[in-house]
């Protein structure tokens, strides 16, 4: 069951990345959360045939990866891993939209291919930004940020609990699956019936655990309200981070920089 | 300081499915005592512990903590006085970081941020875990988890510590360190366990539970010498008290 | 199936975010009102359970390929709709953040598609009606399967609508529907069978769990109406606010409406902000969208006649793009280097 194992290590690895000490990691989680959201909205607001205008946006992930000391290759691999869905839907564009739009000498490129390329670029940018947010901030901090910018508390707490017990439950599931596969002697998949009782079993254990956790909470004075002590300090650096990037994003949305550079170069050549 | 007497009187408990887990248990524990509760699997140890902080309500009989009976009204007081350390630290450590977890109890007591911080750092330093404070619980070793679980209870400054199998799943060295740590505590301690060697080290008094009843209650050393009694309760002498097969062969 | 950021427009993403955020807020309030503090750890741990269970594969009968659990129905059966919706939302959030399943902007769509339909439609109107308060193996089997099928059909249809309204993908509505619905019929049946297998196991082992869940999760018809009304209000408001956005940017709702309605967009009016943008760009942008809009809908001859697309501009766009990328990469290296020496 390599999938469970790899997921396990994956989450753990992302978590470890988020505990680094870099200028990016030190920023307030809210600043990074807001900036990521603004980035994504600006990126997807481009027209579907846009390519050159999207290119400058790579500056954000690149700077974050460099300053945040994040592993580029690992993040790229993760992006590739989830690419199939966007690819599958996007690949219809070249088939359906065959109008030739660009002529590069003798070669004509159809609108479909352009919008397909645009989809893949957007996909890389938005997914990259999300992964960078987690790797530079950590999931728990993102949850607290969510709560601080006005998300419902019950939901934030729920996310924290889920994340806490993810590790325990994935480990438990892994042990169950291993125990089964060791006794199934190369029998490949698992039928629905076996799956039902294996997962049902895991579910019963989960319910028992929930009860024990509740008991542990009660023993320490839990009264239905979770209190968290997190001093919140948005500093000037955080505000500059949000404003700086947002301004840049908007400018990059308004002005097509590659086009400008291209013209400049072309002018020089002539 | 009051006496912190724990008084259990003819305690009976029947689970909703009809299992009679406790059939009339009575004992009294005074301030500062350290008492082991031992017994086979299913003897009723966990059920008994759950009555001590009012999680279960007796079917019959009563439990008193200090000067007050355990009832719905006194739950708050009882839970502040009795600190429970559960068997599986993963159940006990549910917050995102060690710090948050140790702060959970004090925050529920309604203390201010500074008081909470003092208590958390204090509790962590007692169990020598201050350096772990920003770690998430799932990144701790078994021993560290156990220490933090204990800190999460100490931060509420309870008078009585109730522990369920504190040494289970620990490697020998970690187990030894834990025992040494527990020796330094001046709290009234109640420890439910199968680890009779630890009992020899920590508890001057032992209560044996068997099928929901007390079959023995007295000084640990005396009880552990009574092999017939232990066998009857599906227990065995601590290894340290058994004649060592390796050494005996040479004599 | 997860929606992806790359395929949705901000208008659609934003509307669905608003709808989902509203629902999360409403469910949070409801869960708080239930005053059942057991649910706080229970929801969290069950979320983790669903997450773990989704990683265990089973063999789909008769095909040899493998599938995994969705989990929306199991959560609703155990927790009731409100808590289940929150739990499902949190599972999807973690998947979006860690595994980039979908993405942040599409998260609203995904939570809605995979959470709302099973929790608030399939469970109360199908599963609950069939299984009632006296479950039997047969009733659970039929109820879970039907509910899962209906929930997934609605979810898949949601994906179709969201994609088509966004207009990023060229897939026409009809084709997409014909593609998505049958696939999800199959997935739904499997999901239902698996859900039933798990629920039956739990019900046999510990019947009281299901009974308790059924009692503690009241869902009056009034509250469902409240949700729907609230949802409608949120949608109308955000839709209204965003349609301004959508109309100033060409890829939004308005255009999509035309598109799905089958209306040829022959002459799209020049739009205020967009025109000024175009002026700023001196009509030399690499791929100015309105140009392509025309090219799409008008015959090729006219497209050729359009003056902005000459190979000169295209080449300059390409060069500029490559240069920009190179500069960005250089910046990255420089920062990295400085970081290491510092």
């Amino acid at each position: 069951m390599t999938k469970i194992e790899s997921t396990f290590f994956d989450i753990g690895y992302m978590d470890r990345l988020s505990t680094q000490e870099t200028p990016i990691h030190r920023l307030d989680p809210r600043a990074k959360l807001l900036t990521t959201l603004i980035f994504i909205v600006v990126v997807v607001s481009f027209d579907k045939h846009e390519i050159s205008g999207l290119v400058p946006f790579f500056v954000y992930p690149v700077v974050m990866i460099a300053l945040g000391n994040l592993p580029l290759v690992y993040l790229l691999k993760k992006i590739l891993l989830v690419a199939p869905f966007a690819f599958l839907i996007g690949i219809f564009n070249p088939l359906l939209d065959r109008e030739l739009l660009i002529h590069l000498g003798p070669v004509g490129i159809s609108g479909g291919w352009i919008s397909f390329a645009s989809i893949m670029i957007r996909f890389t940018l938005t997914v990259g930004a999300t992964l960078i947010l987690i790797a530079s901030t950590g999931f728990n901090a993102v949850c607290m940020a969510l709560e601080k910018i006005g998300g419902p508390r019950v939901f934030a707490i729920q996310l924290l609990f889920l994340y806490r017990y993810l590790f325990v439950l994935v480990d438990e599931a892994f042990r169950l699956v291993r125990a089964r596969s060791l006794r199934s002697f190369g029998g490949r998949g698992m039928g629905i019936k076996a799956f039902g009782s294996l997962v049902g079993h895991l579910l019963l254990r989960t319910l028992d655990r929930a009860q024990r956790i509740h008991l542990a909470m009660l023993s320490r004075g839990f009264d239905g309200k979770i209190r968290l002590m997190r001093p919140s300090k948005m500093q000037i650096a955080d505000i500059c981070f949000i404003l700086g990037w947002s301004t840049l994003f908007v400018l990059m949305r308004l002005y097509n920089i590659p086009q400008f550079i291209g013209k400049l170069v072309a002018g020089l050549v002539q | 300081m009051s006496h912190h007497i724990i008084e259990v009187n003819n305690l009976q408990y029947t689970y909703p499915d009809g299992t009679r887990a406790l059939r009339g248990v009575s004992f009294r524990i005074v301030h500062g005592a350290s008492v082991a509760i031992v017994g086979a699997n299913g003897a009723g140890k966990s059920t008994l512990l759950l009555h001590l902080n009012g999680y279960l309500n007796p079917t019959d009989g009563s439990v008193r903590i200090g000067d007050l009976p355990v009832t719905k009204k006194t739950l708050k007081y009882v839970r502040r006085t009795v600190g429970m350390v559960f068997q599986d630290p993963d159940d006990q450590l549910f917050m995102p970081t060690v710090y948050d977890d140790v702060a959970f109890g004090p925050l529920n007591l309604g203390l201010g941020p500074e008081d909470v911080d003092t208590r958390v750092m204090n509790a962590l330093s007692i169990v020598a875990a201050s350096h772990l404070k920003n770690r998430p619980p799932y990144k701790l070793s078994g021993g560290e988890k156990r220490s933090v679980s204990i800190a999460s209870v100490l931060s509420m400054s309870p008078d009585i510590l109730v522990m369920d199998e504190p040494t289970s799943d620990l490697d020998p060295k970690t187990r030894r360190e834990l025992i040494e740590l527990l020796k330094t505590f001046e709290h009234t301690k109640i420890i439910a366990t199968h680890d009779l060697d630890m009992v020899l080290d920590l508890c001057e008094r032992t209560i044996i539970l068997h099928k929901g009843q007390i079959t023995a209650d007295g000084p640990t050393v005396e009880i552990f010498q009574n092999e017939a009694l232990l066998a009857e309760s599906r227990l065995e002498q601590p290894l340290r008290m058994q004649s060592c097969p390796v050494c005996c062969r040479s004599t | 199936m997860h929606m992806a950021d790359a395929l949705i427009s901000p208008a659609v993403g934003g509307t669905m975010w608003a709808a989902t955020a509203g629902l999360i807020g409403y469910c949070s309030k409801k869960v708080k009102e239930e005053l059942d503090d057991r649910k706080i750890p229970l929801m969290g741990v069950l979320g983790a359970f669903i997450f773990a269970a989704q990683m265990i594969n089973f063999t789909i009968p008769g095909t040899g390929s493998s599938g995994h659990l969705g989990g929306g129905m199991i959560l609703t059966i155990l927790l009731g709709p409100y808590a289940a919706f929150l739990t499902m939302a949190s599972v999807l959030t973690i998947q979006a953040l860690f595994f980039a399943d979908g993405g942040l902007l599409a998260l609203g769509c995904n939570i809605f598609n995979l959470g709302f339909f099973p929790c608030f439609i399939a469970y109360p109107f199908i599963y609950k009606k069939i299984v009632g308060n006296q479950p039997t193996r047969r009733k659970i089997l039929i109820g879970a399967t039907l509910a899962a099928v209906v929930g997934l059909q609605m979810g898949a249809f949601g994906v179709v609508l969201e994609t088509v309204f966004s207009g990023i993908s060229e897939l026409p509505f009809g084709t997409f529907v014909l593609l998505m619905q049958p696939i999800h019929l199959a997935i739904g049946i499997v999901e239902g069978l698996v859900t039933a297998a798990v629920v039956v196991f739990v019900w046999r082992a510990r019947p009281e769990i299901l009974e308790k869940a059924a009692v503690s999760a009241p869902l009056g018809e009034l509250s469902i109406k409240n949700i729907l009304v609230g949802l409608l209000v949120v949608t109308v408001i955000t839709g209204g606010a965003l349609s301004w956005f959508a109309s100033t940017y060409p890829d939004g709702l308005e255009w999509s409406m035309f598109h799905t309605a089958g209306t040829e967009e022959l002459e799209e009016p020049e739009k205020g902000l967009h025109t000024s943008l175009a002026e700023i760009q001196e009509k030399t942008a690499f791929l100015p969208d309105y140009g392509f809009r025309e090219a799409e809908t008008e015959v090729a001859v006219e497209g050729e006649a359009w003056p902005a697309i000459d190979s000169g501009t295209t080449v300059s766009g390409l060069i500029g793009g490559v240069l920009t990328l190179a500069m960005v990469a250089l910046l990255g290296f420089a920062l990295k280097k400085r970081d290491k020496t510092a």
Side-chain angles (χ1 to χ4, degrees), chain A residues 101-145:
Chain A
L101 286 183
I102 305 180
H103 299 278
L104 280 175
V107 189
I109 300 175
S110 74
W113 280 111
I114 292 168
S115 59
F116 172 64
S118 178
I119 286 180
M120 294 321 283
I121 292 177
R122 282 157 210 264
F123 171 78
T124 312
L125 284 172
T126 50
V127 169
T130 312
L131 292 175
I132 287 168
L133 171 69
I134 292 298
S136 67
T137 313
F139 183 72
N140 288 330
V142 172
C143 291
M144 313 255 194

Side-chain angles (χ1 to χ4, degrees), chain C residues 132-182:
Chain C
N133 287 330
Q134 253 94 43
T136 63
R137 189 171 172 272
R138 217 185 137 82
K139 279 196 214 160
I140 292 176
L141 192 69
I142 297 172
T145 310
L146 265 182
V149 166
V150 170
L152 266 164
Q153 283 296 308
M154 289 174 151
F157 194 62
V159 172
V160 172
L161 285 185
E162 287 148 14
T163 309
V164 169
F165 273 82
S166 295
I168 307 284
S169 159
E170 290 287 343
L171 270 178
F173 176 75
T175 321
F176 203 11
V177 165
L178 286 178
L179 204 72
M180 290 287 280
Q181 305 305 124

Side-chain angles (χ1 to χ4, degrees), chain A residues 47 49-50 52 256 259, chain C residues 274 278 281 283-294 306 308-309 313:
Chain A
D47 180 72
H49 287 109
E50 188 63 59
S52 67
N256 190 325
Q259 193 62 49
Chain C
H274 192 71
Q281 293 174 337
K283 301 206 176 201
T284 51
F286 179 29
L287 297 166
D289 40 20
Y290 59 90
F292 288 116
R293 194 63 39 71
E294 282 169 29
W306 187 51
I309 295 187
T313 335

Side-chain angles (χ1 to χ4, degrees), chain B residues 12-247:
Chain B
Q12 305 199 23
Y13 187 77
T14 308
Y15 278 101
D17 66 356
T19 315
R20 288 189 67 194
L22 296 176
R23 310 161 179 244
V25 170
S26 306
F27 58 83
R28 226 173 107 96
I29 294 172
V30 292
H31 175 61
S34 181
V35 180
I37 296 180
V38 300
N41 294 329
K45 299 188 299 282
S46 298
T47 312
L48 175 59
L49 295 192
L50 292 182
H51 280 90
L52 298 181
N53 75 346
Y55 184 74
L56 293 179
N57 292 318
T59 310
D60 200 13
S62 68
V63 179
R64 288 179 77 89
I65 302 289
D67 305 320
L68 296 169
V70 178
T71 62
K72 273 231 159 79
K73 275 186 197 157
T74 59
L75 269 190
K76 236 187 154 157
Y77 161 81
V78 167
R79 287 180 180 162
R80 200 170 34 199
T81 314
V82 181
M84 272 236 177
V85 182
F86 292 89
Q87 183 175 355
D88 184 350
D90 273 329
D91 297 340
Q92 179 132 15
L93 306 175
F94 44 80
M95 296 295 278
T97 66
V98 165
Y99 187 98
D100 291 327
D101 222 296
V102 181
F104 183 82
L107 283 170
N108 284 336
L109 293 179
L111 299 175
E114 277 158 35
D115 283 344
V116 171
D117 189 67
T118 325
R119 281 194 181 211
V120 172
M121 293 321 291
N122 217 346
L124 282 174
S125 77
I126 291 175
V127 300
S130 306
H131 60 293
L132 302 173
K133 71 174 178 154
N134 289 325
R135 288 247 215 119
Y138 43 83
K139 290 244 179 84
L140 303 178
S141 70
E144 287 169 341
K145 277 187 191 172
R146 189 74 60 170
S147 305
V148 175
S149 300
I150 293 172
S152 74
V153 167
L154 288 182
S155 64
M156 298 182 69
S157 23
D159 299 309
I160 301 162
L161 273 182
V162 176
M163 282 177 270
D164 196 356
E165 293 288 4
T167 52
S168 65
D169 295 329
L170 295 184
D171 63 59
K173 174 101 171 94
T174 315
R175 170 181 170 276
R176 178 52 55 195
E177 284 165 1
L178 179 74
I179 292 174
E180 293 309 318
L181 173 68
L182 292 180
K183 267 187 191 166
T184 63
F185 289 180
E186 284 168 6
H187 306 77
T188 307
K189 290 188 279 281
I190 299 178
I191 304 175
T193 185
H194 291 303
D195 182 353
L196 300 193
D197 281 284
M198 171 190 64
V199 174
L200 268 183
D201 284 330
L202 280 180
C203 309
E204 67 275 1
R205 176 176 161 198
T206 295
I207 294 174
I208 297 184
L209 265 185
H210 187 57
K211 294 188 175 161
Q213 280 170 320
I214 294 183
T215 49
D217 181 354
T220 300
V221 182
E222 258 172 51
I223 288 186
F224 285 0
Q225 274 163 353
N226 187 343
E227 284 188 57
L229 171 70
L230 290 176
E232 209 174 280
S233 312
R234 303 187 63 81
L235 294 167
E236 229 177 28
Q237 271 192 327
L239 288 174
R240 230 184 302 164
M241 290 174 73
Q242 293 177 14
S243 40
C244 169
V246 181
C247 318

